């Protein structure tokens, strides 16, 4: 049953993702029409530089006036792939007001203003879909929102930033330092000229906020996500990790507390056992573990970025939103009914690997062990190594709260016999 | 916006999956209601043995008359977890006729009669969902039907049977033979008393038919799926695989031909490189690779069977179907518009590992190589090993059609110098 009036799509942004969306809409028009039940038509493309030649896109569709495009009134779906907060937010809001549903790939905006955007979509009876905002082509939002809708998710643990995974993988496999690995990532196009959003964990933190919100049916703001970048991970940390049978990954971790009453979300580098499936995620790939009551452990793996993979996710959403429109229905909106407490980092419970530079004399280990005990942090293993009157002490703890660990480290720094805290790294995935 | 009239669910079957569905519907009733937008109520449970005590299920709901239950007329969703062809097929058909949508976990029925069931659902404007029919809790049907709806899937390659993966993993890690590993699987409850459906590949073939149909938007009948079990895989095959840097897995492979005009679906044991992510799928876990034009390579991993994981998939579908019902809409139905040719096994192109027992005398290799050349099968490597006048010859080919390989092997068997073909195994995942 094919409807002949085409659904009209406005594309906002025509960079690496947008141009690929436009290309597939053209080359696979028949497939999309068959899957949706009606043809879809590119009705307008808003760009910043209209003079740039865009192969396969009718020049008559190109405009610099994105606002006029979303307000035309005949647009069924607005696809937003410009990124950033403004003008994306105003354009999406205007789209809902003027009768369109929205497909977005904008993690920063969704993480910051997801609740308001969902409210606007709901008010106007429109869809807001954003599979492409997290982990590129990997179906993750839809499995969490729909496939696991009858289950209770307890943890989401994943590698959600390809740039940093490329850098850490390079450091792991070659022994390179951070700067050297970053330089290679930049040269190969895996890192942007200003890599801050990736290497400082801002990108992963936005994704963690989105994932935690969906997984726990609770609003999780970007500010709720603890964030620690990976710029201070050293070649020495990788050597320590290897001694532990681990590697180091930048992880996004969203967890329900053991009593179920609260949740946490965080992004930081962590040691993870080589036997864990996330340890073997190479290059710029992404992978996300989801643990739930009934399903157990699921893993989703694939390319986390890039024009084509992101376009695949955008187009999957586009098909869904178009089908909903033909049905006169909408898909699942925001689900925040559980409204759980979002706890600060201090309440996170995990294990720690701590390297201390200490004086090489009798009694040091006893002193250090006493500090751990006083703060309620139980020690799993200690390794002591002497060198010329100095020694290093590597302590791996049992599970303890981040607050206890912070207190322990503050007290350790005050000991005369502790010359310095060389590194502290969390140990995950056990 | 919560509707107060509950949606009524009829549960057909109350074994390991059904009892878990009922349990979660009861214990997580509030969550389900919040996610659906209306409460769901267990309105009847059809069982074979009504006298059995079922904890947590009101005895007044239990009936042996499944037909009367699905025909009651007030049922919103029928959940079918009895399995097998009849009476499941008649019950599902009756459910549609009497106004209910259906969630099923029945791979055998879907593989055999999916088209007719989809037609019945469509005729009555009802939903037919069956995420649980393939790979247990792993979201796979929904990602293929929805997330990748804007992409072009070229291959689905996976481990979709936990019993056989447990057995093969055991053979690989312990050097055990097939029977010994099967006995252990049976003792641990991973294999049924009659393991035929699993070890002969019938179960995996049903899943391959379902996956191929969805992936390629083409009807793929169970008879279209080439099927070879894993009962003849030997410890010697594993040793050969190790020499190749491979392990052996029972794979379901659905592929589009290189010219895009036809597809194939098959289930057989195959060597797969240890570096391939599927090689490290342990025990009874399932994992499926999906390769598409835009998304690239995606992998989905998780528990492929068991009461709770399967119940998770059933409940995800239940939530979706209930939402659709409240929306007055239906989800995606069968999509078979592409109607591609389903080619027979002979047209499959892959690589082969062949072990021959040959006479240990000059000229044998030349004879054998000539036979391969005459059939257009190009040899990658040959390894020759002599022992007491006999020798073994291990040939690994480049990519060739299955028909060419079959012809080659027939001709080899006719050579005086070839005493026997010890094993033929396909090599995949490269």
């Amino acid at each position: 049953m094919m409807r002949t009036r085409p659904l009209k799509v406005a594309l906002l942004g025509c960079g690496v993702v947008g141009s690929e969306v436009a290309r597939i809409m053209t080359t696979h028009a028949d497939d999309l029409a068959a899957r949706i039940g009606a043809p879809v038509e590119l009705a307008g493309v808003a760009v910043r530089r209209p003079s740039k030649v865009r192969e396969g896109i009718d020049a008559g569709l190109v405009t610099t006036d994105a606002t006029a495009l979303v307000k035309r009134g005949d647009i069924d779906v607005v696809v937003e792939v410009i990124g950033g907060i403004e003008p994306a937010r105003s354009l999406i809001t205007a789209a809902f007001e003027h009768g369109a549903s929205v497909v977005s790939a904008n993690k920063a905006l969704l993480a910051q203003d997801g609740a308001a955007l969902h409210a606007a979509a709901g008010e106007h009876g429109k869809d807001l879909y954003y599979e492409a905002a997290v982990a590129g082509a990997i179906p993750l939002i839809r499995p969490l929102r729909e496939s696991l809708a009858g289950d209770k998710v307890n943890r989401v643990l994943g590698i959600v930033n390809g740039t940093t995974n490329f850098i850490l993988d390079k450091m792991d496999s070659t022994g390179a330092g951070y700067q050297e690995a970053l330089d290679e990532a930049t040269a190969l196009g895996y890192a942007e000229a200003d890599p801050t959003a990736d290497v400082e964990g801002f990108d992963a933190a936005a994704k963690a906020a989105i994932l935690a919100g969906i997984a726990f049916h609770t609003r999780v703001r970007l500010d709720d996500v603890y964030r620690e970048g990976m710029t201070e991970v050293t070649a020495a940390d990788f050597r320590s990790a290897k001694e532990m049978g681990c590697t180091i990954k930048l992880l996004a971790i969203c967890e329900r507390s053991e009593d179920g009453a609260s949740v946490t979300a965080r992004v930081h580098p962590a040691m993870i056992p080589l036997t864990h499936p996330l340890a073997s995620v190479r290059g710029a790939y992404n992978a996300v573990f989801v643990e739930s009551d009934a399903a157990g452990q699921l893993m989703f793996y694939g390319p986390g970025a890039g024009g084509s993979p992101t376009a695949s996710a955008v187009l999957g959403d586009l098909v869904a939103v178009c089908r909903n429109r033909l049905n006169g229905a909408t898909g699942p909106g925001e689900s925040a009914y559980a409204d759980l407490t979002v706890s600060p980092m201090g309440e996170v419970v995990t294990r720690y690997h701590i390297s201390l530079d200490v004086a090489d004399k009798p009694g040091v280990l006893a002193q250090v062990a006493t500090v751990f005990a006083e703060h309620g942090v139980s020690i799993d293993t200690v390794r002591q190594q002497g060198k010329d009157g100095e020694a290093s002490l590597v302590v791996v703890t049992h599970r303890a709260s981040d607050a206890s660990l912070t207190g322990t480290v503050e007290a350790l720094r005050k000991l005369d016999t502790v010359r310095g805290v060389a590194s502290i790294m969390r140990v995950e995935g056990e």
Side-chain angles (χ1 to χ4, degrees), chain A:
Chain A
M1 199 169 47
M2 180 76 75
R3 206 177 68 145
T4 49
R5 185 182 85 72
L7 289 151
K8 293 190 178 177
V9 175
L11 182 60
L12 310 184
C14 201
V16 283
V17 177
S19 58
E20 190 62 9
V21 169
R23 187 189 68 76
I24 297 174
M25 281 185 67
T26 310
T27 56
H28 290 68
D30 292 347
D31 283 315
L32 292 172
R35 297 174 191 182
I36 290 166
V40 277
E41 172 188 297
L42 198 56
V45 182
V47 301
R48 270 185 305 182
R49 286 171 298 157
S51 56
K52 190 175 158 191
V53 175
R54 292 179 172 83
E55 207 181 327
I57 294 177
D58 182 350
L61 297 177
V62 175
T63 173
T64 53
D65 192 346
T67 305
L69 178 58
V70 301
K71 290 186 174 176
R72 257 170 53 173
D74 66 335
I75 301 297
D76 292 285
V77 186
V78 168
V79 172
E80 183 272 304
V81 287
I82 43 181
I85 303 303
E86 282 296 351
R89 178 171 51 195
S90 302
L91 291 168
I92 290 175
T93 309
F96 293 137
E97 287 165 359
H98 291 80
S101 283
V102 172
V103 174
S104 171
N106 194 328
K107 55 198 161 272
L109 178 58
L110 263 301
Q112 182 182 305
D113 290 316
L117 293 175
H118 273 296
E123 187 188 333
H124 297 281
K126 298 292 173 285
D127 272 328
L128 172 62
Y129 275 51
Y130 46 91
E131 182 68 76
V134 181
I138 310 173
L140 200 55
I141 305 285
R142 182 174 278 104
L144 279 173
R145 282 220 285 201
E146 303 184 38
S147 306
L148 291 167
D151 205 336
K152 182 179 173 191
V153 176
N154 294 313
R155 183 190 288 185
V156 177
L157 170 77
I159 296 166
V160 295
N161 180 276
T163 303
T164 49
N165 199 59
F166 180 91
I167 295 170
L168 290 169
D169 187 19
K170 191 55 69 178
M171 291 174 73
D172 186 34
S173 58
T174 66
Y178 164 70
Q179 190 59 49
E180 190 186 336
L182 171 62
D183 290 345
E184 185 172 346
T186 310
L188 292 171
Y190 286 114
E192 292 181 47
D194 176 0
T196 310
D198 293 318
V199 300
E200 294 294 355
F202 291 102
D203 174 86
K207 292 164 177 171
I210 295 171
L211 290 174
I214 296 171
F216 304 131
H217 298 270
T218 289
R219 270 182 202 156
V220 177
R221 294 168 307 128
L222 194 48
D223 291 348
D224 294 329
V225 181
Y226 173 82
R227 180 192 51 75
E228 200 182 301
M230 44 70 71
T231 58
E232 287 172 23
V233 175
T234 64
D237 289 329
F238 272 100
R239 288 193 293 274
S240 298
K242 273 187 187 144
E243 283 168 14
M244 294 262 297
C246 288
T247 186
I248 298 169
K249 296 289 187 188
L250 184 72
L251 298 178
I253 306 173
C254 313
E255 278 177 327
R256 194 186 290 274
S257 62
E258 273 173 32
D259 66 6
S262 65
V263 297
T264 52
R266 52 191 165 117
V267 168
H268 55 70
M271 293 187 184
I272 191 161
L274 292 172
T275 51
H276 194 284
L278 289 182
S280 53
V281 175
R282 299 270 164 251
Y285 273 78
N286 282 192
V288 177
F289 248 76
V290 177
E291 296 177 18
S292 69
D293 266 5
Q297 288 196 324
L298 303 172
M299 188 173 78
F300 304 81
Y301 166 94
S308 290
T310 308
S312 172
V314 165
L315 286 162
D317 279 353
L318 179 64
V319 169
V321 168
C322 287
R323 281 173 177 165
N324 288 345
R325 220 163 155 95
L326 291 180
N327 269 327
T330 53
E334 187 189 31
S335 177
Y337 75 89
D339 198 19
L340 300 170
T341 301
V342 186
S343 297
M345 187 61 188
E347 294 186 23
V348 163
V349 174
T350 188
R351 295 178 65 206
Y352 307 85
H353 177 286
I354 303 131
S355 296
L356 303 172
D357 294 326
V358 297
D360 188 10
K361 57 183 182 184
V364 172
L365 178 54
Q367 268 194 317
V368 166
T370 302
V371 169
F372 276 87
E374 283 170 356
H375 290 82
V377 179
S378 170
I379 291 175
D380 179 16
T381 62
V382 180
R383 210 177 57 247
Q384 199 164 6
Q385 230 169 0
K387 44 166 193 191
D388 312 327
E390 295 262 316
S392 75
L393 211 57
V394 174
V395 179
V396 180
T397 75
H398 286 297
R399 284 166 59 79
S401 75
D402 220 80
S404 309
L405 196 278
T406 303
T408 305
V409 171
E410 275 171 20
L412 286 172
R413 287 190 204 275
K414 287 178 191 154
L415 291 181
D416 288 345
T417 49
V418 172
R419 306 274 159 84
V421 179
S423 85
I424 306 168
M425 195 161 298
R426 297 175 186 89
V427 183
E428 303 287 342
E430 293 179 306

